[in-house]
Each structure stands twice: as structure tokens, then as C-alpha cells.
Amino acid sequence: MESSTYTGENAAEARDMDAVARFYVKCALWLGVHDPVFVDAYFGPAAVRDEALTVTVPPDRIAGYAADLLATLDRIDPDRLEEAGRMRHTHLREMIRALNTRAGILAGEKLSFDAETEALYGVAATEDDTDWYGELHATLDARLPGDGNLSVRYRAFMDSYVIPSDRLEPVFAAAFAESRRRTVERLPLPAGERLEIGYTAGEPWEAFIRYLGDATSLVRVNADLPVTIDRALAYACHEGYPGRHTMRTIRETALVRARGWIEHSVVTLASPLATVAEGAAVLGEEMIFSGHERAQFFEEVLFPLAGFEPEDAGLFDAVVIESTALNRTGNARVARKYLGGVLSREEACRHLRDVLLLDREAAEARLRLIEEFRAYPVALAEGYRIVRDYVGDGAGRWERFVHALTEPALPGDLTSSGSPG
């Protein structure tokens, strides 16, 4: 392929946010060639993608283009824009800043882990507390049957709730169906919305979802790997309803198609907008299965479908609540200490085993994900905290959640205001 002939000045000449946004999309697609985890989905015009990918652009040049685009935005006076335009201007700037940072890193720029987290995701990593997990371990120790080593008991307990491979399909189907039913009671989905679930084997992943555009997602579940029953429901909520699939169908309809904001047709996993979006997706399970409702759904539907004793559902749900909090916080802390140079690789693995209660194989797999996605676990944990605190309790809770889920919100948008704007 030939080098690109585009320059940031091409967009700058128009001094127009549509031109900036279109060129940003091309830059994101170019960067995705060098960083396979940067672009999570693209559902914009095929012509834009095809035009972008006819050339190869090195990361240092992409960083330069991003700087040009930021300079262009500086020449657009937001005070002369209507409210939606001002919001777009602010959010487009943060998307481009994150792209500029990521391209610079790939080009060889060195940032501390904390600086990288702030620049890419718009949040600060949680400060260290040597006993942050003590209370969670104590609660798990009291709940889990038997005596002795906590990690051994925890893994044995969870292993007893691995869904038999011949029951994966009905369990996942029921989880997705119920999460969708509860979501549409609160949040209308675009016409023609569709999520297809399929099953495969021989893959390294447990499951994945791909948003294809036109309100359609494809889910594939690996029937070869052990999947505990809580993962079926968590996956249905986080990836399906009211999580990523729901978010993307609504944003495609409301932002890309209705407003013409093409920048939202490329979903990147490194930006402050991703922090809020992922936090809302994680919170989704708590929103539609509040209080005792999840344990009740396990007991009445999922446990019988998987062949488990329904009377065990309450204990299982209580253990999952604690272990989920342990992993969400622990992943972020291990990522910061390992990638920040505080822990060696061996020490990080041991921390994952001793604190997050993973076996050696799972700890190695988790560490590889941290190495690949870097600060993303911090963004996930902080995004969840920010959205949870913003949503709060009482009247207006669902309205605030829908705002965080479906609007392009930055972390600061949710921490500086108590209501949707």
C-alpha cells in the first residue's frame, strides 16, 4: 500500500466539525490497523472505511493528523454553536485527544501508567490501599462452605456451577430473553433491533459480541470452555441488554443517523467516552435485576435449566456479588501496579492468585489481557463507580442511567452535575 496523501489541513480548511469528524474516523481506522484492540466496532459508511483502508498510515503521522484536528477545533468558537453543537465540540475534542495519545504511544512516546490512564480515559487510577480486599475476603470466607484455603474453596465452589455444555443454549437463551424483556420495559429499542446468539468450539475465548450496524449484533458462545452460570446472565446484561448492544443500537439511531455525527460510528476502547459507556454497561445488570431479583431469577429459571439445585441460588448469588466486586477492583489495581513497574510479572500473577482467587492458568490469562488492554481495567472500574454514583437511588434513577448509557457523556459530565443535561 502507498502512504497516505491526506493531511490534517484538508479538514482544517473547512473549519467544520463534520469534516473534522470524518477525518477523525479515518484516523481511528488507520490506528486500528496497528492496534487491533483500539477499534471495537465500526458501523459507518462503507465508503469511508474503504477509502481509509486503501492506504497505510504510520502511528506518528496519525498523531500529527490528530494534532491538526485539535488545532482546527480550537478555531471553532463553541460559544457561537447551539447547545448540541457545543456538546459535540467538547466530546469530539476528547475523542481526538485520546486518539492522539494512543497514536503517540504506538509511535514510541513514553507515559507513566497514571498519565496514560488520565490521557486515554479521563480518570485517575485508585490510590493503593494494602488491605482493600480484606473485608471482601472475610465475607467470602464466611459464606463459602468448608474450611481451609480460601482460594481453593472459592474455585471448588464456582466449579460446581459450570454450565454443562449440552445446557449452554437454553441457559444463555433464557438469560438474554429475560434481560431484553426487562430492558424494553424501561427503554424502547430501535425498530428492527436484533441480537443473534450462536455456539462454536475450539476458540480461546469464552464468548464475544460483535456489533454489525443496522441495530444488529452477533453473539458467539464457546461450548468448549467452562462457563459458570453467573457469566451467562452477566454477559446477557453487559454485552446485550441493557449493555453494549442496546447502547450501540440507540447511539447509531440517535447520533449517527439522526444527527449525522459520524464520529460515533467508530467505537474505540480508549477514550473518556468509553469510560462512561463501559461503566454504564457494567451497571446494567444491577439496574434490571435489583435487590433480590437476580437470585430469584437464578432460582426460578437458570438453575433448573442448568440442572442445579434451586435452593442453592441464594448462596451462589451472594458469593458472586462479593467476587465480582473483588475482581472489578482487583483487576484495576493489579494493572496499575504491574504496568506501573511496582510488581514484576511473577508478583502480579501471584497477586491475581492470592487476592483475586484465580488458579494459575486463569491468572496467566488475566495477566495477558492486562498486557493487551493496559489501562482499560482501570477505566472499567472507575467508569462503573462514576456511573453508579451518578445514577444514585430514588426518583429519576432510570432517567439518569439511560442518559449515561445512550448519550455521549464524559466522566466530568457525570461528576459535575446531579442530573442529565
Side-chain angles (χ1 to χ4, degrees):
M1 294 183 180
E2 298 178 355
S3 296
S4 170
T5 58
Y6 291 106
T7 70
E9 284 106 13
N10 296 146
E13 289 170 0
R15 299 194 178 185
D16 174 85
M17 282 195 291
D18 284 337
V20 169
R22 188 180 180 90
F23 197 76
Y24 159 76
V25 168
K26 292 180 180 179
C27 287
L29 293 172
W30 285 330
L31 192 59
V33 172
H34 305 283
D35 183 359
V37 302
F38 182 72
V39 175
D40 191 50
Y42 176 72
F43 43 89
V48 174
R49 179 191 59 225
D50 294 344
E51 181 183 355
L53 298 183
T54 57
V55 294
T56 299
V57 185
D60 61 337
R61 189 174 298 175
I62 297 170
Y65 293 162
D68 290 341
L69 293 177
L70 291 172
T72 300
L73 289 178
D74 284 342
R75 292 192 288 270
I76 299 175
D77 182 2
D79 290 338
R80 300 180 61 181
L81 303 172
E82 78 287 356
E83 182 178 355
R86 289 195 299 273
M87 178 179 70
R88 185 188 189 191
H89 185 273
T90 298
H91 296 169
L92 187 55
R93 171 182 297 280
E94 294 308 306
M95 296 163 78
I96 296 171
R97 283 168 59 91
L99 182 141
N100 175 259
T101 298
R102 185 61 186 147
I105 291 171
L106 291 179
E109 294 181 14
K110 301 297 183 184
L111 292 178
S112 70
F113 181 78
D114 286 357
E116 178 183 336
T117 303
E118 181 75 37
L120 290 178
Y121 295 103
V123 293
T126 303
E127 291 298 324
D128 194 33
D129 173 2
T130 56
D131 192 40
W132 65 268
Y133 56 87
E135 187 175 341
L136 293 168
H137 274 198
T139 303
L140 282 171
D141 188 51
R143 293 192 189 281
L144 291 170
D147 300 308
N149 184 277
L150 178 62
S151 61
V152 172
R153 289 160 55 211
Y154 169 72
R155 292 196 299 268
F157 179 84
M158 295 302 293
D159 286 347
S160 66
Y161 292 100
V162 170
I163 306 168
S165 58
D166 61 341
R167 298 188 181 226
L168 271 178
E169 186 168 351
V171 169
F172 267 80
F176 272 89
E178 181 63 12
S179 65
R180 186 183 190 282
R181 185 190 70 81
R182 289 170 178 254
T183 296
V184 297
E185 287 180 348
R186 298 278 193 169
L187 181 59
L189 297 174
E193 169 273 327
R194 185 170 66 90
L195 187 152
E196 176 192 319
I197 308 174
Y199 301 85
T200 186
E203 300 290 347
W205 35 258
E206 180 181 280
F208 80 86
I209 186 169
R210 178 174 297 142
Y211 187 68
L212 304 176
D214 294 324
T216 301
S217 288
L218 177 69
V219 173
R220 286 294 178 263
V221 180
N222 189 352
D224 277 354
L225 294 182
V227 181
T228 53
I229 197 165
D230 59 301
R231 300 305 305 150
L233 189 57
Y235 206 80
C237 296
H238 180 263
E239 306 294 349
Y241 309 96
R244 286 177 165 188
H245 167 74
T246 300
M247 176 197 313
R248 288 171 188 174
T249 61
I250 293 174
R251 291 187 180 196
E252 180 183 17
T253 300
L255 301 180
V256 179
R257 296 184 182 278
R259 294 182 182 177
W261 292 0
I262 192 175
E263 63 269 29
H264 295 285
S265 68
V266 59
V267 180
T268 70
L269 288 185
S271 81
L273 272 71
T275 300
V276 173
E278 292 301 299
V282 172
L283 185 65
E285 185 175 2
E286 297 174 30
M287 293 299 298
I288 61 173
F289 289 95
S290 58
H292 68 285
E293 292 178 349
R294 187 174 70 168
Q296 184 178 1
F297 184 59
F298 280 140
E299 178 182 352
E300 295 178 357
V301 180
L302 296 188
F303 268 45
L305 286 173
F308 303 144
E309 294 296 333
E311 58 266 28
D312 296 336
L315 173 60
F316 176 79
D317 184 61
V319 168
V320 167
I321 289 173
E322 301 300 325
S323 63
T324 298
L326 184 70
N327 276 270
R328 181 168 51 239
T329 304
N331 288 335
R333 291 177 181 272
V334 170
R336 185 189 187 213
K337 295 179 79 171
Y338 169 50
L339 298 175
V342 176
L343 296 177
S344 68
R345 198 177 195 282
E346 181 181 352
E347 290 169 333
C349 272
R350 186 164 59 248
H351 200 79
L352 290 168
R353 297 196 305 270
D354 295 345
V355 177
L356 272 61
L357 311 179
L358 304 178
D359 61 29
R360 183 175 295 276
E361 184 179 353
E364 282 286 347
R366 183 73 55 83
L367 197 57
R368 287 194 295 272
L369 286 175
I370 288 172
E371 290 168 339
E372 184 175 18
F373 289 93
R374 294 191 58 80
Y376 180 74
V378 175
L380 200 67
E382 288 301 299
Y384 168 81
R385 180 189 61 78
I386 289 168
V387 177
R388 180 200 62 199
D389 291 349
Y390 170 75
V391 168
D393 297 308
R397 184 169 185 256
W398 257 95
E399 287 78 4
R400 291 189 291 273
F401 173 70
V402 170
H403 174 76
L405 185 79
T406 60
E407 290 291 330
L410 297 164
D413 295 335
L414 305 192
T415 55
S416 63
S417 173
S419 60

